[in-house]
Amino acid sequence: MSDHPSQEELEALWRGDLPAEKARSIAQHILFFCETCLAKAPAPLRISLGLDGAGSGQATDSEAAYDEVIDKVARVARQHEARLCRRKVEANRIEKKLREGGFDALQKLPKKVNPLALYDALLAYSWSLRHENPGLMQQAAWAALRQIDQVDTRAHGLREVMDFRCRAWAELGNAYRVGDDFHRATWALGRARQVFALGTKDPFLEIRIVELEGSLAADQCEYEWASLKMMKVFRFYRRQKDHHLAGRALINQGLYTGYAGDPDKGIHLLNEGLSLIDRDSDPLLVRAAMHNQLMFLIDTGRFADARKFRLKYSRELSHTTGAVYQALLRAMDGRIDAGIGNFARAETIFREVTQDLKNLGRGYNAAIAGLDLAIALLSQQKTIEARQVVLESAGIFTRLQIGPNAMAAIVLLRETFEMREGTLSLLKNVTEYMRRAAVNPNVRFSLRDEEF
């Protein structure tokens, strides 16, 4: 330990509130009879460790003093672990009540509740809401942030409390991100960074902030920046030898890399990530990685490989009851059939998928499936029907008020087919572009030479 411990850390050592590793480090520092630390240490700590007045030192007692300090550290570690265990049990109990009764359950809690257990429960409850209620997710994170004001800094240490506050700001920022409030998400994550500098600078807490910053960057279509963030997360967990979390970071990096315009590298990263994770512990992550791997194989025109992959991992890819997901997976089946020249089968699939997505209220996806249907029709020389389908899809895109780049591509497609001059090459180009624009609105449309 190169730096002197703070007054708060010395007091926390006496109370038994420090993590075991931290307690050992500080105790060993004191064993060298650091005059500065002895002067700052609480008197009970000096007495209990047999170091009161130890600056003048007695060599014959040094071995006994060392053994006594080690015993104290061992007791501190046991006390700390027991305290954490009780806090976790209480937090789990509170979270269960929150899930069953919402915030009203807080009124029914006992008067004496561990404030940190309630803090943990609120953050866990906030996280559990990420797929179903972003607004309530934000409220729970805000409640956790306010709960930190109830924590006694004298009892837990100022820098440790700052860590708790930093974590709450970070999770609040993530809650705003989930709710598509990117401005407030940026603000909250910025506050987390500021508060982090006032805490213990826990590297695990910092890497959590980095991970959330990467997710926010991805949601804002800043995929290269998001990929760099996930690379940092991957390297951190690789150093920690946590293969699952390292693999999860690689899977996210692979997704962002593919969205940034390099699907081949994305496939490689997804493969590597899947080789690291514990598949049984996170089946949703496995399915998402495989889904994106299949999508990137199709996007790169490797239709035969995509067909083999689809057949090999059919059970994993289909293991969900979500209607939207099933429709989008079916659309990829249609793209594979069209890619290998089975246009009649692709036509049947896209007719079904287009209608299903319309019924599910997914207008953009339905319009893209309509363009895929038009490709299958035009490839079979069904020109009149293909023209009608193109104009229907163009109408959907127009009503959705898409961005200027995408609108320019759709207007060009619509006008050429209205004049009966639309070509299969132009239709494929615009369809591929609209698919890319769905995940990256900043990508620009460009005509190919054969389309002039």
Side-chain angles (χ1 to χ4, degrees), residues 49-322:
L49 297 182
L51 295 175
D52 199 24
S56 56
Q58 295 181 8
T60 56
D61 295 335
S62 61
E63 185 174 348
Y66 181 86
D67 290 341
E68 191 171 348
V69 170
I70 293 302
D71 289 342
K72 171 65 177 177
V73 170
R75 290 197 301 273
V76 164
R78 289 194 297 271
Q79 291 168 0
H80 178 73
E81 292 301 324
R83 192 174 291 108
L84 282 181
C85 184
R86 290 194 298 271
R87 174 177 148 193
K88 183 176 181 181
V89 169
E90 188 174 2
N92 289 340
R93 177 175 56 80
I94 297 171
E95 184 199 354
K96 182 180 179 181
K97 291 185 176 181
L98 286 168
R99 290 195 186 207
E100 292 172 351
F103 281 107
D104 290 340
L106 296 177
Q107 307 301 322
K108 302 176 183 178
L109 293 178
K111 290 184 178 180
K112 290 185 178 181
V113 174
N114 183 336
L116 287 179
L118 178 53
Y119 162 85
D120 291 338
L122 286 166
L123 285 184
Y125 179 52
S126 173
W127 178 253
S128 72
L129 296 164
R130 65 193 183 279
H131 295 310
E132 56 189 75
N133 195 329
L136 196 56
M137 181 186 183
Q138 294 165 20
Q139 292 180 40
W142 260 119
L145 185 59
R146 291 195 300 270
Q147 180 62 23
I148 290 302
D149 295 334
Q150 310 301 317
V151 175
D152 186 355
T153 57
R154 292 173 299 178
H156 296 278
L158 178 60
R159 294 200 294 175
E160 285 73 14
V161 171
M162 286 299 172
D163 281 357
F164 294 134
R165 184 167 281 117
C166 171
R167 180 186 165 205
W169 274 113
E171 298 305 330
L172 176 61
N174 190 47
Y176 281 134
R177 177 193 68 83
V178 171
D180 294 332
D181 191 340
F182 301 144
H183 177 75
R184 286 184 178 176
T186 302
W187 164 70
L189 287 174
R191 287 289 293 140
R193 280 285 184 186
Q194 292 172 341
V195 177
F196 176 80
L198 303 175
T200 64
K201 297 182 175 63
D202 180 356
F204 286 90
L205 180 57
E206 182 179 27
I207 211 65
R208 175 60 175 164
I209 297 173
V210 172
E211 185 177 18
L212 295 179
E213 289 172 339
S215 297
L216 176 60
D219 283 357
Q220 294 176 300
C221 302
E222 298 172 355
Y223 294 113
E224 292 182 0
W225 183 238
S227 181
L228 288 173
K229 291 281 186 181
M230 287 304 157
M231 183 186 298
K232 183 175 181 178
V233 175
F234 162 70
R235 289 175 176 172
F236 174 84
Y237 284 120
R238 184 176 60 181
R239 289 194 301 271
Q240 302 299 323
K241 301 188 185 306
D242 190 326
H243 301 300
H244 180 75
L245 293 182
R248 187 181 70 179
L250 267 188
I251 287 171
N252 285 327
Q253 185 185 355
L255 174 62
Y256 303 153
T257 300
Y259 283 169
D262 193 348
D264 284 317
K265 185 177 179 181
I267 291 170
H268 172 75
L269 292 170
L270 289 169
N271 264 327
E272 190 174 351
L274 281 168
S275 71
L276 293 173
I277 64 171
D278 179 359
R279 298 192 178 206
D280 293 334
S281 70
D282 201 341
L284 290 178
L285 180 64
V286 173
R287 190 199 71 195
M290 288 185 170
H291 181 93
N292 288 308
Q293 212 169 349
L294 178 63
M295 178 179 65
F296 291 154
L297 285 170
I298 296 170
D299 288 344
T300 54
R302 294 159 60 180
F303 299 110
D305 290 339
R307 186 170 182 269
K308 291 177 183 177
F309 185 91
R310 176 70 173 94
L311 292 172
K312 182 177 181 180
Y313 298 108
S314 177
R315 183 178 61 84
E316 292 87 343
L317 287 164
S318 303
H319 189 62
T320 179
T321 56

